[in-house]
Amino acid sequence: MDLLIVYLVITAVVALGTGLFIGKTLVAKANKAKELELEEKAKLIIKEAEISAENIKKDKILEAKEKFLKLKSDFEEESNRKKSQLISNENKLRQKEQTLSKEFEKVNRKESDIKSLREKLETQLEVVNKKKVELDKFNQQKVSILEKISNLTADDAREQLVESMKVEAESKASSFIKDIIEEAKLTATKEAKKIVVETIQRTATEHAIENCVSIFNIESDDIKGKIIGREGRNIRALEAATGVEIIVDDTPEAIIISGFDPVRREIARLSLHRLVVDGRIHPARIEEIVAKTKKNIEEEIVETGERTAIDLGIHGLHPELIKMVGRMRFRSSYGQNLLQHSREVANLCATMASEIGMNPKQAKRAGLLHDIGKVWPEEPEKPHAILGMDLAKKYKEHPIVCNAIGAHHDEIEMTSLISPIVQACDAVSGARPGARREIMESYIKRLKELEELALSFDGVNKCYAIQAGRELRVMVDADTVKDDRAGQLSFDISQKIEKDMQYPGQIKVTVIREMRSVAYAK
């Protein structure tokens, strides 16, 4: 029994050892198979990575080649353009050299002509000197003969002749001077009126209709809600960005933009147009659109200034002055557009300067820049004429132009004939009927003040302001105001108007004295 148990134990041990060996062998084979499989997968991944890297490498090489070819073509195109530009500049320089050589030849010919003429004149001068000596000798002989005949020396005879002719000459000269003065007054007045009338007739003008509001038209009233936004955030953002007041009321298919600055109104109008077309209306988009519009407006201002200078034939303006000329488009004076007014004054000045033999280009330049001080953004406490003169001096304008700008409202003394021309043309442009207008309340107030001022004089019965306040007709009492007093009264009223009131252009004061005799047949 014991042997059987021992045998069983030995058998179990041997079986267990054999099982462990077989299991270990199987595990080793399984692990080796897995390793081989993993190695195959790793090789496959490496191969795919190499293929992908090769493809990426080829794509990058092709992309680099394309970029190189594009840069090469751009470079060649730029080189060709610069080469053609250089050839064009060389041709222009060659033409200028030919022109200068021709002018130089002309100068040399003129110089030789002048030399020959000088020699001729010197020869003739010698002949004249000889004849003068002979004439002096003859005159001395004649004077000695006359002295013997008249028993008077030449000095005594000269004194008597001078005294006898002096009285006659004084009387004739006084009457002659009086006639000349009267004729000159009549001629000067006639010629001045002729020049002014011809200048006005030859210059086209436009009437201004500027105001302090702009109307933005919309297709439907549904857009108003988008513009206002939730709790009004869109309209508040737009007003804060542009500095104007946006009025959205019951006006059908319209939004009112209110503001005293025309540039801000234009920026708001264009921004609204872009926002409505785009459809995306929210505060961030509003700020972006307004910033772009401001930039576009600045570019438009420069373009307007350059186009104005080209249209008028004015060259060499400083870029800052060109920018100020462009800003005039968005400014108005008494309702008259400042750019149109300045263009009109420039054309009037050129025409008037040509009529009286002055430099028309210089007059046109002064006329265009005469109100340049009104658009200076800093707006210091200076009259716009003085400010405009300082700006013109700063940007190296001609002293005559600077004086014309500063003197067109009599702030400084006029030093050239261009200055009164600019002053007169400024008054002509502003005094055209319909050229300027004011706010209705201030307009009515000014007319009432004008009539009350005339009624404050003794002898005035009635007074009417007509022609939009440009003429004042005064009816006086014929018993208290005589004919000679009527002329003085019109002068006194005009002086008081100049002293006490502010107005555009000029006001004509007409005093009417009417004598009526009334009787009744019974």
Side-chain angles (χ1 to χ4, degrees), residues 146 229 277 317 337 449:
L146 289 173
V277 170
L317 278 178
N337 183 271
E449 289 177 355

Side-chain angles (χ1 to χ4, degrees), residues 249-472:
D249 53 13
D250 296 334
T251 306
E253 298 181 356
I255 293 174
I256 299 172
I257 303 170
S258 176
F260 71 94
D261 192 338
V263 178
R264 295 180 186 173
R265 293 204 311 272
E266 184 67 12
I267 291 172
R269 188 185 68 81
L270 293 176
S271 300
L272 268 175
H273 175 72
R274 292 182 177 180
L275 288 168
V276 170
V277 170
D278 185 36
R280 294 176 294 170
I281 305 177
H282 52 83
R285 183 64 176 166
I286 288 170
E287 292 178 0
E288 180 184 352
I289 291 294
V290 170
K292 290 181 180 179
T293 306
K294 285 181 180 179
K295 186 177 180 181
N296 293 339
I297 288 291
E298 288 296 326
E299 294 174 356
E300 185 180 349
I301 284 171
V302 175
E303 183 182 354
T304 302
E306 292 175 348
R307 187 168 59 250
T308 301
I310 291 171
D311 291 344
L312 294 175
I314 296 173
H315 306 287
L317 278 178
H318 193 277
E320 287 298 325
L321 291 179
I322 290 177
K323 193 180 292 184
M324 291 181 197
V325 171
R327 284 200 191 103
M328 287 183 181
R329 178 187 170 191
F330 301 99
R331 292 288 185 273
S332 61
S333 177
Y334 294 99
Q336 186 179 26
N337 183 271
L338 195 57
L339 180 59
Q340 295 298 330
H341 167 65
S342 298
R343 288 173 67 105
E344 183 181 349
V345 171
N347 290 321
L348 288 168
C349 289
T351 306
M352 197 173 289
S354 300
E355 291 292 334
I356 62 176
M358 299 295 293
N359 186 347
K361 291 185 178 180
Q362 204 170 55
K364 186 183 288 186
R365 198 180 190 97
L368 177 64
L369 301 177
H370 79 284
D371 273 345
I372 204 75
K374 289 185 178 180
V375 295
W376 182 242
E378 296 180 4
E379 298 182 0
E381 295 297 327
K382 277 186 180 180
H384 73 272
I386 301 299
L387 181 57
M389 181 184 68
D390 294 341
L391 290 171
K393 288 179 179 178
K394 178 181 178 181
Y395 297 118
K396 310 299 181 184
E397 286 295 319
H398 196 278
I400 291 177
V401 176
C402 296
N403 179 259
I405 295 171
H408 79 276
H409 283 313
D410 294 323
E411 275 87 0
I412 62 171
E413 184 180 356
M414 297 180 181
T415 59
S416 69
L417 287 177
I418 298 293
S419 300
I421 290 175
V422 173
Q423 187 182 51
C425 293
D426 181 38
V428 168
S429 175
R432 290 181 186 275
R436 293 183 172 184
R437 69 181 185 87
E438 300 169 83
I439 300 173
M440 185 61 67
E441 293 180 1
S442 61
Y443 166 76
I444 295 173
K445 182 180 179 182
R446 181 168 64 84
L447 295 188
K448 288 182 178 180
E449 289 177 355
L450 191 62
E451 292 179 353
E452 290 173 358
L453 185 146
L455 289 170
S456 64
F457 285 82
D458 295 332
V460 177
N461 290 336
K462 297 178 181 179
C463 180
Y464 301 104
I466 62 173
Q467 295 290 333
R470 301 187 186 281
E471 183 177 355
L472 185 66

